[in-house]
Amino acid sequence: AKSCRRGAAVCFAPEHEAVLRRDAAIEQALRRADLAVEFRLLYQPIVDAVSGRVEAYEALARWQSPTLGFVSPAEFIPVAERSRLIRDLSRVLLGQALDTMRDWPAERRLSFNLSAHDIAAPESVDHLAAMVVASGIDPRRIVFEVTESGLMRDLGDATRALTSLRALGVGIALDDFGTGYSSLSYLQRLPVDRLKIDRSFVIRCAEDETSLNIVRSILDLCRHLTLDCVVEGVETADQLLLLRSVGCRAMQGYLFHKPMPAAAIPAFEAAPPLW
Ligand code: C2E
Ligand code: CA
Ligand code: CA
Ligand code: CA
């Protein structure tokens, strides 16, 4: 496969071919999927690690395909984005999440992941906004998480979309903060309320001073810009103590709880573990 004839339609290494076949199988299964039946959300708590209170749950999609079995969102989200199926999927999932929220304590918030494709077209944004309004749930209880990577293509459109969502009262979080190429210019342009510090900084913060100092600097940045901040991927008590010592409050990670089905939330709320 080294010599590629000019004009040949396809030309790549065998590993790459396997990935493409897998993606094609995922796309086919996705097109045939009954979204409302095969997809569900798990919810992972975001806690105030100083007071111990639960503040929100992040909704994370899970797919049990009748033909492919369990498929991870790391695999199906990119395929859904490329094949334009993401908008339908996001609508189904947002509908589920808004329903689930009815059983939650009144002050509990929902953090919901949106793809750049969900906000690329004004009618798609309007549809999501209309769903929030129709649910009757206070929009201030909803945070939409977006990653900068997808917004790169058209920052102007993204800014308009996020501004119109925010006008409803929902919050906007910039996800995976610190992993992209131009995080700071995004902060300057996009209407954002909160940053989620990527797990990669947390993983290393106990072993490496630089990572902890980066977290410290992002917290400073948040204070100066009056943004909230959440650290993701907190797995150990050591990490919790270090992060708390540099001023992190809102945290998320396996230490607190793994993503859980909606049905497990009442028991968790009734007896949140002590950290
Ligand atoms: P994300 O938004 O950054 O979500 C956090 C991911 O980290 C989740 O993986 C979560 O299960 C995992 N996680 C949470 N705490 C820990 C921890 O302490 N340690 C480790 N190792 N991992 C932790 P998940 O659920 O597999 O989702 C992967 C990605 O797929 C998400 O990353 C998000 O980008 C995307 N995704 C998931 N659900 C949706 C969705 O409904 N819509 C969209 N557009 N994207 C979604
Ligand atoms: Ca997220
Ligand atoms: Ca993240
Ligand atoms: Ca991520």
Side-chain angles (χ1 to χ4, degrees), residues 146-152 174-186 196-198 200-201 218:
V146 294
T147 54
E148 62 181 62
S149 56
L151 303 176
M152 208 97 80
L174 203 50
D175 205 351
D176 301 345
F177 187 77
T179 57
Y181 293 107
S182 49
S183 303
L184 296 177
S185 66
Y186 280 82
K196 297 192 77 172
I197 302 180
D198 192 68
S200 54
F201 301 107
I218 298 174

PDB file of all heavy atoms in Angstrom, residues 146-152 174-186 196-198 200-201 218:
ATOM      1  N   VAL A 146     -19.620  22.679  26.029  1.00  0.00           N
ATOM      2  CA  VAL A 146     -19.103  22.611  24.654  1.00  0.00           C
ATOM      3  C   VAL A 146     -17.576  22.530  24.718  1.00  0.00           C
ATOM      4  O   VAL A 146     -16.964  23.036  25.652  1.00  0.00           O
ATOM      5  CB  VAL A 146     -19.507  23.844  23.812  1.00  0.00           C
ATOM      6  CG1 VAL A 146     -21.010  23.895  23.598  1.00  0.00           C
ATOM      7  CG2 VAL A 146     -19.027  25.153  24.443  1.00  0.00           C
ATOM      8  N   THR A 147     -16.989  21.852  23.726  1.00  0.00           N
ATOM      9  CA  THR A 147     -15.524  21.824  23.670  1.00  0.00           C
ATOM     10  C   THR A 147     -15.071  22.796  22.596  1.00  0.00           C
ATOM     11  O   THR A 147     -15.756  22.985  21.593  1.00  0.00           O
ATOM     12  CB  THR A 147     -14.986  20.422  23.313  1.00  0.00           C
ATOM     13  OG1 THR A 147     -15.607  20.001  22.107  1.00  0.00           O
ATOM     14  CG2 THR A 147     -15.281  19.421  24.404  1.00  0.00           C
ATOM     15  N   GLU A 148     -13.900  23.352  22.832  1.00  0.00           N
ATOM     16  CA  GLU A 148     -13.437  24.345  21.874  1.00  0.00           C
ATOM     17  C   GLU A 148     -13.108  23.728  20.521  1.00  0.00           C
ATOM     18  O   GLU A 148     -13.227  24.382  19.501  1.00  0.00           O
ATOM     19  CB  GLU A 148     -12.211  25.067  22.419  1.00  0.00           C
ATOM     20  CG  GLU A 148     -11.037  24.151  22.659  1.00  0.00           C
ATOM     21  CD  GLU A 148      -9.861  24.924  23.219  1.00  0.00           C
ATOM     22  OE1 GLU A 148      -9.991  25.490  24.311  1.00  0.00           O
ATOM     23  OE2 GLU A 148      -8.835  24.959  22.545  1.00  0.00           O
ATOM     24  N   SER A 149     -12.688  22.458  20.504  1.00  0.00           N
ATOM     25  CA  SER A 149     -12.206  21.860  19.253  1.00  0.00           C
ATOM     26  C   SER A 149     -13.231  21.994  18.133  1.00  0.00           C
ATOM     27  O   SER A 149     -12.898  22.376  17.024  1.00  0.00           O
ATOM     28  CB  SER A 149     -11.829  20.400  19.461  1.00  0.00           C
ATOM     29  OG  SER A 149     -12.934  19.704  19.996  1.00  0.00           O
ATOM     30  N   GLY A 150     -14.484  21.693  18.450  1.00  0.00           N
ATOM     31  CA  GLY A 150     -15.496  21.740  17.416  1.00  0.00           C
ATOM     32  C   GLY A 150     -15.901  23.146  17.009  1.00  0.00           C
ATOM     33  O   GLY A 150     -16.451  23.355  15.941  1.00  0.00           O
ATOM     34  N   LEU A 151     -15.616  24.107  17.884  1.00  0.00           N
ATOM     35  CA  LEU A 151     -16.093  25.470  17.624  1.00  0.00           C
ATOM     36  C   LEU A 151     -15.156  26.242  16.715  1.00  0.00           C
ATOM     37  O   LEU A 151     -15.490  27.289  16.193  1.00  0.00           O
ATOM     38  CB  LEU A 151     -16.250  26.229  18.944  1.00  0.00           C
ATOM     39  CG  LEU A 151     -17.179  25.573  19.959  1.00  0.00           C
ATOM     40  CD1 LEU A 151     -17.185  26.361  21.259  1.00  0.00           C
ATOM     41  CD2 LEU A 151     -18.601  25.461  19.407  1.00  0.00           C
ATOM     42  N   MET A 152     -13.957  25.656  16.556  1.00  0.00           N
ATOM     43  CA  MET A 152     -12.898  26.299  15.791  1.00  0.00           C
ATOM     44  C   MET A 152     -13.349  26.812  14.427  1.00  0.00           C
ATOM     45  O   MET A 152     -12.948  27.867  13.999  1.00  0.00           O
ATOM     46  CB  MET A 152     -11.793  25.262  15.559  1.00  0.00           C
ATOM     47  CG  MET A 152     -10.445  25.832  15.411  1.00  0.00           C
ATOM     48  SD  MET A 152      -9.598  25.744  16.980  1.00  0.00           S
ATOM     49  CE  MET A 152      -9.065  24.028  16.979  1.00  0.00           C
ATOM     50  N   LEU A 174     -17.093  25.622  29.150  1.00  0.00           N
ATOM     51  CA  LEU A 174     -16.090  25.221  28.164  1.00  0.00           C
ATOM     52  C   LEU A 174     -15.411  23.965  28.713  1.00  0.00           C
ATOM     53  O   LEU A 174     -14.757  24.002  29.760  1.00  0.00           O
ATOM     54  CB  LEU A 174     -15.098  26.369  27.980  1.00  0.00           C
ATOM     55  CG  LEU A 174     -14.301  26.436  26.688  1.00  0.00           C
ATOM     56  CD1 LEU A 174     -15.171  26.319  25.449  1.00  0.00           C
ATOM     57  CD2 LEU A 174     -13.508  27.743  26.643  1.00  0.00           C
ATOM     58  N   ASP A 175     -15.630  22.851  27.992  1.00  0.00           N
ATOM     59  CA  ASP A 175     -15.199  21.528  28.445  1.00  0.00           C
ATOM     60  C   ASP A 175     -13.744  21.279  28.052  1.00  0.00           C
ATOM     61  O   ASP A 175     -13.230  21.916  27.133  1.00  0.00           O
ATOM     62  CB  ASP A 175     -16.104  20.493  27.754  1.00  0.00           C
ATOM     63  CG  ASP A 175     -16.222  19.188  28.515  1.00  0.00           C
ATOM     64  OD1 ASP A 175     -15.496  18.980  29.498  1.00  0.00           O
ATOM     65  OD2 ASP A 175     -17.069  18.375  28.101  1.00  0.00           O
ATOM     66  N   ASP A 176     -13.101  20.347  28.747  1.00  0.00           N
ATOM     67  CA  ASP A 176     -11.730  19.921  28.419  1.00  0.00           C
ATOM     68  C   ASP A 176     -10.785  21.112  28.347  1.00  0.00           C
ATOM     69  O   ASP A 176      -9.871  21.140  27.510  1.00  0.00           O
ATOM     70  CB  ASP A 176     -11.690  19.181  27.070  1.00  0.00           C
ATOM     71  CG  ASP A 176     -12.579  17.944  27.057  1.00  0.00           C
ATOM     72  OD1 ASP A 176     -12.998  17.500  28.137  1.00  0.00           O
ATOM     73  OD2 ASP A 176     -12.851  17.445  25.953  1.00  0.00           O
ATOM     74  N   PHE A 177     -10.982  22.084  29.223  1.00  0.00           N
ATOM     75  CA  PHE A 177     -10.192  23.306  29.127  1.00  0.00           C
ATOM     76  C   PHE A 177      -8.709  23.021  29.329  1.00  0.00           C
ATOM     77  O   PHE A 177      -8.309  22.293  30.229  1.00  0.00           O
ATOM     78  CB  PHE A 177     -10.642  24.350  30.156  1.00  0.00           C
ATOM     79  CG  PHE A 177      -9.961  25.681  29.972  1.00  0.00           C
ATOM     80  CD1 PHE A 177     -10.357  26.538  28.953  1.00  0.00           C
ATOM     81  CD2 PHE A 177      -8.889  26.049  30.771  1.00  0.00           C
ATOM     82  CE1 PHE A 177      -9.714  27.754  28.741  1.00  0.00           C
ATOM     83  CE2 PHE A 177      -8.241  27.269  30.567  1.00  0.00           C
ATOM     84  CZ  PHE A 177      -8.662  28.112  29.558  1.00  0.00           C
ATOM     85  N   GLY A 178      -7.912  23.641  28.474  1.00  0.00           N
ATOM     86  CA  GLY A 178      -6.464  23.503  28.585  1.00  0.00           C
ATOM     87  C   GLY A 178      -5.869  22.505  27.610  1.00  0.00           C
ATOM     88  O   GLY A 178      -4.661  22.418  27.470  1.00  0.00           O
ATOM     89  N   THR A 179      -6.727  21.753  26.912  1.00  0.00           N
ATOM     90  CA  THR A 179      -6.194  20.746  25.999  1.00  0.00           C
ATOM     91  C   THR A 179      -6.102  21.247  24.558  1.00  0.00           C
ATOM     92  O   THR A 179      -5.454  20.642  23.731  1.00  0.00           O
ATOM     93  CB  THR A 179      -7.067  19.470  25.973  1.00  0.00           C
ATOM     94  OG1 THR A 179      -8.394  19.857  25.612  1.00  0.00           O
ATOM     95  CG2 THR A 179      -7.079  18.805  27.335  1.00  0.00           C
ATOM     96  N   GLY A 180      -6.777  22.322  24.239  1.00  0.00           N
ATOM     97  CA  GLY A 180      -6.816  22.779  22.848  1.00  0.00           C
ATOM     98  C   GLY A 180      -5.646  23.686  22.531  1.00  0.00           C
ATOM     99  O   GLY A 180      -4.706  23.800  23.310  1.00  0.00           O
ATOM    100  N   TYR A 181      -5.721  24.316  21.405  1.00  0.00           N
ATOM    101  CA  TYR A 181      -4.617  25.164  20.967  1.00  0.00           C
ATOM    102  C   TYR A 181      -4.808  26.623  21.307  1.00  0.00           C
ATOM    103  O   TYR A 181      -3.883  27.388  21.325  1.00  0.00           O
ATOM    104  CB  TYR A 181      -4.426  25.027  19.457  1.00  0.00           C
ATOM    105  CG  TYR A 181      -3.947  23.670  19.084  1.00  0.00           C
ATOM    106  CD1 TYR A 181      -4.784  22.757  18.466  1.00  0.00           C
ATOM    107  CD2 TYR A 181      -2.647  23.282  19.390  1.00  0.00           C
ATOM    108  CE1 TYR A 181      -4.338  21.489  18.144  1.00  0.00           C
ATOM    109  CE2 TYR A 181      -2.196  22.021  19.075  1.00  0.00           C
ATOM    110  CZ  TYR A 181      -3.048  21.125  18.455  1.00  0.00           C
ATOM    111  OH  TYR A 181      -2.601  19.879  18.144  1.00  0.00           O
ATOM    112  N   SER A 182      -6.037  27.022  21.518  1.00  0.00           N
ATOM    113  CA  SER A 182      -6.259  28.459  21.609  1.00  0.00           C
ATOM    114  C   SER A 182      -7.266  28.792  22.689  1.00  0.00           C
ATOM    115  O   SER A 182      -8.120  29.639  22.519  1.00  0.00           O
ATOM    116  CB  SER A 182      -6.749  28.975  20.266  1.00  0.00           C
ATOM    117  OG  SER A 182      -7.807  28.164  19.817  1.00  0.00           O
ATOM    118  N   SER A 183      -7.158  28.080  23.814  1.00  0.00           N
ATOM    119  CA  SER A 183      -8.131  28.252  24.885  1.00  0.00           C
ATOM    120  C   SER A 183      -8.361  29.699  25.272  1.00  0.00           C
ATOM    121  O   SER A 183      -9.476  30.118  25.526  1.00  0.00           O
ATOM    122  CB  SER A 183      -7.658  27.498  26.125  1.00  0.00           C
ATOM    123  OG  SER A 183      -7.473  26.156  25.802  1.00  0.00           O
ATOM    124  N   LEU A 184      -7.273  30.460  25.328  1.00  0.00           N
ATOM    125  CA  LEU A 184      -7.405  31.827  25.840  1.00  0.00           C
ATOM    126  C   LEU A 184      -8.163  32.723  24.876  1.00  0.00           C
ATOM    127  O   LEU A 184      -8.974  33.541  25.295  1.00  0.00           O
ATOM    128  CB  LEU A 184      -6.042  32.410  26.185  1.00  0.00           C
ATOM    129  CG  LEU A 184      -5.332  31.667  27.326  1.00  0.00           C
ATOM    130  CD1 LEU A 184      -3.956  32.253  27.583  1.00  0.00           C
ATOM    131  CD2 LEU A 184      -6.153  31.670  28.589  1.00  0.00           C
ATOM    132  N   SER A 185      -7.929  32.559  23.587  1.00  0.00           N
ATOM    133  CA  SER A 185      -8.662  33.410  22.649  1.00  0.00           C
ATOM    134  C   SER A 185     -10.148  33.024  22.634  1.00  0.00           C
ATOM    135  O   SER A 185     -11.015  33.853  22.390  1.00  0.00           O
ATOM    136  CB  SER A 185      -8.053  33.356  21.253  1.00  0.00           C
ATOM    137  OG  SER A 185      -8.202  32.085  20.717  1.00  0.00           O
ATOM    138  N   TYR A 186     -10.430  31.752  22.926  1.00  0.00           N
ATOM    139  CA  TYR A 186     -11.831  31.357  23.039  1.00  0.00           C
ATOM    140  C   TYR A 186     -12.517  32.067  24.192  1.00  0.00           C
ATOM    141  O   TYR A 186     -13.654  32.497  24.093  1.00  0.00           O
ATOM    142  CB  TYR A 186     -11.958  29.845  23.226  1.00  0.00           C
ATOM    143  CG  TYR A 186     -11.836  29.133  21.921  1.00  0.00           C
ATOM    144  CD1 TYR A 186     -10.584  28.862  21.381  1.00  0.00           C
ATOM    145  CD2 TYR A 186     -12.963  28.789  21.200  1.00  0.00           C
ATOM    146  CE1 TYR A 186     -10.466  28.253  20.162  1.00  0.00           C
ATOM    147  CE2 TYR A 186     -12.860  28.184  19.982  1.00  0.00           C
ATOM    148  CZ  TYR A 186     -11.602  27.917  19.454  1.00  0.00           C
ATOM    149  OH  TYR A 186     -11.498  27.332  18.245  1.00  0.00           O
ATOM    150  N   LYS A 196     -14.226  23.767  32.584  1.00  0.00           N
ATOM    151  CA  LYS A 196     -13.966  22.448  33.147  1.00  0.00           C
ATOM    152  C   LYS A 196     -12.514  22.096  32.855  1.00  0.00           C
ATOM    153  O   LYS A 196     -12.118  21.947  31.689  1.00  0.00           O
ATOM    154  CB  LYS A 196     -14.923  21.418  32.557  1.00  0.00           C
ATOM    155  CG  LYS A 196     -16.373  21.736  32.926  1.00  0.00           C
ATOM    156  CD  LYS A 196     -17.310  20.601  32.617  1.00  0.00           C
ATOM    157  CE  LYS A 196     -17.214  19.491  33.630  1.00  0.00           C
ATOM    158  NZ  LYS A 196     -18.274  18.456  33.422  1.00  0.00           N
ATOM    159  N   ILE A 197     -11.731  22.023  33.908  1.00  0.00           N
ATOM    160  CA  ILE A 197     -10.298  21.748  33.746  1.00  0.00           C
ATOM    161  C   ILE A 197     -10.116  20.282  33.407  1.00  0.00           C
ATOM    162  O   ILE A 197     -10.594  19.399  34.117  1.00  0.00           O
ATOM    163  CB  ILE A 197      -9.505  22.091  35.031  1.00  0.00           C
ATOM    164  CG1 ILE A 197      -9.698  23.569  35.401  1.00  0.00           C
ATOM    165  CG2 ILE A 197      -8.028  21.745  34.856  1.00  0.00           C
ATOM    166  CD1 ILE A 197      -8.947  23.994  36.652  1.00  0.00           C
ATOM    167  N   ASP A 198      -9.440  20.032  32.316  1.00  0.00           N
ATOM    168  CA  ASP A 198      -9.324  18.677  31.797  1.00  0.00           C
ATOM    169  C   ASP A 198      -8.621  17.740  32.775  1.00  0.00           C
ATOM    170  O   ASP A 198      -7.707  18.111  33.497  1.00  0.00           O
ATOM    171  CB  ASP A 198      -8.570  18.694  30.469  1.00  0.00           C
ATOM    172  CG  ASP A 198      -8.692  17.367  29.757  1.00  0.00           C
ATOM    173  OD1 ASP A 198      -9.803  17.040  29.317  1.00  0.00           O
ATOM    174  OD2 ASP A 198      -7.677  16.640  29.688  1.00  0.00           O
ATOM    175  N   SER A 200      -6.479  15.564  32.291  1.00  0.00           N
ATOM    176  CA  SER A 200      -5.035  15.338  32.116  1.00  0.00           C
ATOM    177  C   SER A 200      -4.208  16.117  33.143  1.00  0.00           C
ATOM    178  O   SER A 200      -3.144  15.649  33.552  1.00  0.00           O
ATOM    179  CB  SER A 200      -4.618  15.704  30.690  1.00  0.00           C
ATOM    180  OG  SER A 200      -5.023  17.023  30.389  1.00  0.00           O
ATOM    181  N   PHE A 201      -4.690  17.269  33.581  1.00  0.00           N
ATOM    182  CA  PHE A 201      -3.938  18.046  34.584  1.00  0.00           C
ATOM    183  C   PHE A 201      -4.099  17.436  35.968  1.00  0.00           C
ATOM    184  O   PHE A 201      -3.206  17.535  36.802  1.00  0.00           O
ATOM    185  CB  PHE A 201      -4.404  19.503  34.598  1.00  0.00           C
ATOM    186  CG  PHE A 201      -4.222  20.167  33.270  1.00  0.00           C
ATOM    187  CD1 PHE A 201      -5.307  20.434  32.463  1.00  0.00           C
ATOM    188  CD2 PHE A 201      -2.951  20.497  32.818  1.00  0.00           C
ATOM    189  CE1 PHE A 201      -5.142  21.016  31.216  1.00  0.00           C
ATOM    190  CE2 PHE A 201      -2.769  21.084  31.573  1.00  0.00           C
ATOM    191  CZ  PHE A 201      -3.869  21.338  30.771  1.00  0.00           C
ATOM    192  N   ILE A 218      -5.139  28.297  36.233  1.00  0.00           N
ATOM    193  CA  ILE A 218      -6.472  28.346  35.623  1.00  0.00           C
ATOM    194  C   ILE A 218      -7.495  28.869  36.643  1.00  0.00           C
ATOM    195  O   ILE A 218      -8.386  29.637  36.302  1.00  0.00           O
ATOM    196  CB  ILE A 218      -6.898  26.963  35.056  1.00  0.00           C
ATOM    197  CG1 ILE A 218      -5.927  26.524  33.955  1.00  0.00           C
ATOM    198  CG2 ILE A 218      -8.321  27.017  34.490  1.00  0.00           C
ATOM    199  CD1 ILE A 218      -6.164  25.109  33.423  1.00  0.00           C
TER     200      ILE A 218
END
